[in-house]
Amino acid sequence: MATRIIVVDDDPLVGELSSSLLRDAGYEVELINDSFKALDIIKTQPPAVAILDILMPGLDGLTLCHRIKSDPATKNVQVAMVSGKAFHADRKRALDYGAALFIEKPYNVDTFAKQVGELIAGQAPPPPALTAEARLGPQPQGTADAKLHMTIWGCRSLSPFKGGEPSRYGRQTACVSLETASDILIFDAGSGIVPLGREIIKNGRFRNLWLFLTHFDQDHIEGLANFAPAYATGYKLNISGANDPDQALQDRIQRIFEAAPPELGALQTELQLFEMREETYEVLPGVQVSPFFANHPGTTLGFIIEHGGRRFVYCPDSEIYGEQGTAMQDYDERLGRLVQDADVLIHDGRYLDSDYQTRKNNGHSSWANALHLAARSGVKHLILFHHDDAYPDAVLDRIAADAQEIVAQKGYKLKVSMAREALKIGI
Ligand SMILES: [Zn+2]
């Protein structure tokens, strides 16, 4: 039986073109020009794929995509968005909402059916929002007596779709979760927090959520307005961060939620804000959080978490000077003391050495500088984080291999890993 595809487009010309290309490729195609009607049909008889135009009267394509992917009855329908309105924001939202493919109009008639075919065959490179196969809960990879369970939901710099190409390391921006036996701590709200939000709702284990923001650069907050638990009832969201001298934490957070897509509805969560300084806070029983200022433009924090005798440090945006630091620049020494003996250190390792030479004083480190500092400080496991969006997988693979070589050459005792979406570690 031919695979069934539904094309939803209010423009008869484009709709007919899409349909005939797919029919020629052997699919059973239904063209629908009304998005409300399409939703009914998709619900009663889910197709393999729904191809949606973004700009449609009534229910627009993004909202339709959101409805399809958030309804358990239809969430397995693969959604491809087709649009001439290819702003990054739309593309990002489409993928955040669960679309598996985004095709710009005018599309290439030679490859259109092939792209859809790959999607059906599961060969299409999974888009960023779907690469994170992360799940909450204890993981088999962890040590048996782990007290903390870490999951990476995003580890890239800048907007996740700027580079375009799918990546095994993922394209989502900064977000890491850390679970104790009873609670969840979330670090940063880059686009990776969007799939995490969906997982929190699905999983249902956590109601009292703690979010720690290092700073307010886009790649650390761009997912917050789309964090699903904020719009669901029964959740408490505690957001901690630093007060910037020229902007209060409260104003920042308020602005983020004011800019949220209206279709998400009103905020439902009980929201509580905590301004943090360089002190130690017991945020939950037995969970100590010690923020510290990191070397990055603006007010930027790193976080040390201590729980059950384990020490975890999250410091995604931080420039280590390395051997070229001057006597006046004592940040490396200070950071070395802060991360001393950490079980896991997630640290900025954004640049290749060669690129770092031309990007000094931007607030990011070369991976090699991060590795040397971690090794000197007795860190047990370093996770290189904040991969440059311009680096393809081949470059990141090479960094991983070179890092292992340095560890072997120098006789370092630490383990070093590259951050990637869905990476889970028991600590
Ligand atoms: Zn950043």
Side-chain angles (χ1 to χ4, degrees), residues 156-158 173-174 188 214-220 296 300 314 316-318 348 350 363-364 385-386:
R156 282 274 183 175
S157 65
L158 301 176
T173 52
D188 278 332
T214 54
H215 63 311
F216 288 85
D217 282 354
Q218 192 200 341
D219 49 344
H220 298 261
H296 188 76
T300 301
Y314 176 73
D317 290 55
S318 155
D348 190 328
R350 178 166 173 174
H364 295 285
F385 195 83
H386 214 304

Side-chain angles (χ1 to χ4, degrees), residues 359-372:
R359 291 171 168 97
K360 280 181 198 163
N361 301 315
N362 280 339
H364 295 285
S365 295
S366 81
W367 65 266
N369 280 347
L371 174 56
H372 294 307

Side-chain angles (χ1 to χ4, degrees), residues 9-20:
D9 204 313
D10 64 312
D11 180 334
L13 278 178
V14 178
E16 276 305 336
L17 174 63
S18 309
S19 306
S20 64

